[in-house]
């Protein structure tokens, strides 16, 4: 089973609200989406933010920032990890994933990094 | 304590096939729809609405870095993308990630679609294309 988060709906919402300037309407569906996304990016206390449109918009902005920054952090670290592995430097490869884990808060990205680190247990 | 409890990744461990860096590079850097189609359907020009001679003529006029990529394959340690120097750094990174997706074992997801999304949204969609696990431990 693949438990990767589906961030397409929240991306679409962010595009309309943050890029196109369309006001956020706090419908039940939007609240539900933002509540779920908040969990997925480790934002606590989403209910307080969801009491106002301004708060919800800030939550949306912060969620998108975490999704995007986490992606770049992880992908860059993976790319460097592969380079270290090809060079036979497994300590440096492990350190790339440890650095991600030291900084990353999004559980999905952390899981990917932790899995790669665990796989490196089999290497010298 | 509102932090979402993490679940173990359940991604499948099987790779969908390993492609050479040269092929991955060619697909990542084809310059337009027709050249991409020709490179994705080698030897089948009709798949792109062309005859064989039309496809040959077309590709003769398309600058790809296939030769350079072939040289890279002989020295696989470094992903040399100096030929992309005219691209913004973030786009070069998208292409590097595509190369990882296509060539490193265990990746799952549609790498080419993820490259296009990376280029469109300036972010690799990790939830679509991600490295799998070599081993699964309990």
């Amino acid at each position: 089973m693949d438990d990767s988060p589906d961030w397409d709906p929240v991306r679409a919402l962010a595009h309309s609200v943050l890029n196109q300037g369309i006001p956020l309407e706090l419908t039940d569906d939007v609240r539900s989406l933002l509540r779920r996304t908040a969990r997925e990016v480790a934002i606590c206390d989403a209910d307080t933010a969801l009491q106002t449109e301004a708060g919800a918009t800030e939550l949306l902005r912060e969620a998108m920032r975490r999704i995007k920054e986490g992606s770049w952090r992880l992908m860059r670290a993976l790319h460097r990890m592969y380079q270290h592995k090809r060079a036979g430097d497994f300590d440096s490869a492990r350190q790339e994933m440890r650095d991600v884990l030291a900084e990353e808060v999004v559980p999905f990205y952390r899981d990917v990094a932790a899995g790669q680190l665990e796989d490196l247990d089999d290497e010298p | 304590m509102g932090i979402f409890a993490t679940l173990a990744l359940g991604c499948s461990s099987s790779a969908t096939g390993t492609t050479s860096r040269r092929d991955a590079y060619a697909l990542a850097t084809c310059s337009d729809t027709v050249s991409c189609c020709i490179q994705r359907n080698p030897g089948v020009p009709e798949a792109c609405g062309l005859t064989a001679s039309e496809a040959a003529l077309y590709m003769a006029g398309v600058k790809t870095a296939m030769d350079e990529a072939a040289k890279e394959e002989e020295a696989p340690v470094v992903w040399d993308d100096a030929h992309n120097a005219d691209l913004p750094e973030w786009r070069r990174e998208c292409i590097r990630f595509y190369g990882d997706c296509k060539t490193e074992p265990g990746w799952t997801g549609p790498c080419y679609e993820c490259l296009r999304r990376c280029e469109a949204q300036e972010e690799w969609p990790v939830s679509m294309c991600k490295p799998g696990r070599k081993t699964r431990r309990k």
Side-chain angles (χ1 to χ4, degrees), chain B residues 30-112:
Chain B
C30 52
S31 57
D32 58 65
T33 306
V34 177
S35 67
C36 293
C37 181
I38 293 170
Q39 289 176 30
R40 262 186 279 176
N41 298 278
V44 196
E46 55 271 22
C48 311
L50 301 171
T51 65
S53 58
E54 284 171 338
L57 277 173
Y58 193 90
M59 292 310 289
V62 174
K63 178 174 181 353
T64 69
M66 294 289 284
D67 292 338
E68 286 178 49
K71 285 180 214 156
E72 282 172 25
E73 217 157 306
E74 301 301 315
V77 173
V78 177
W79 178 276
D80 178 4
D81 59 355
H83 39 261
N84 285 336
D86 55 333
L87 294 178
E89 179 60 21
W90 69 266
R91 278 197 65 194
R92 294 175 69 173
E93 291 190 275
C94 287
I95 295 170
R96 288 175 204 146
F97 301 157
Y98 171 78
D100 292 337
C101 182
K102 287 295 284 186
T103 62
E104 295 294 339
W107 277 71
T108 57
C111 300
Y112 189 73

Side-chain angles (χ1 to χ4, degrees), chain A residues 49-99:
Chain A
L50 291 174
Q51 288 173 4
T52 65
E53 286 183 6
T57 301
E58 270 317 296
L59 188 153
L60 177 62
R61 194 186 311 278
E62 174 62 14
M64 296 312 297
R65 185 188 70 78
R66 293 186 185 199
I67 290 170
K68 187 166 198 161
E69 288 187 5
S71 168
W72 282 106
R73 180 183 298 115
L74 176 63
M75 292 301 298
R76 285 169 174 155
L78 285 168
H79 186 72
R80 291 190 299 266
M81 180 192 79
Y82 293 131
Q83 291 178 314
H84 292 311
K85 285 173 72 175
R86 282 195 292 273
D89 183 355
F90 294 100
D91 286 340
S92 296
R94 289 185 191 94
Q95 191 58 45
E96 292 292 348
M97 293 301 103
R98 289 193 189 107
D99 289 347

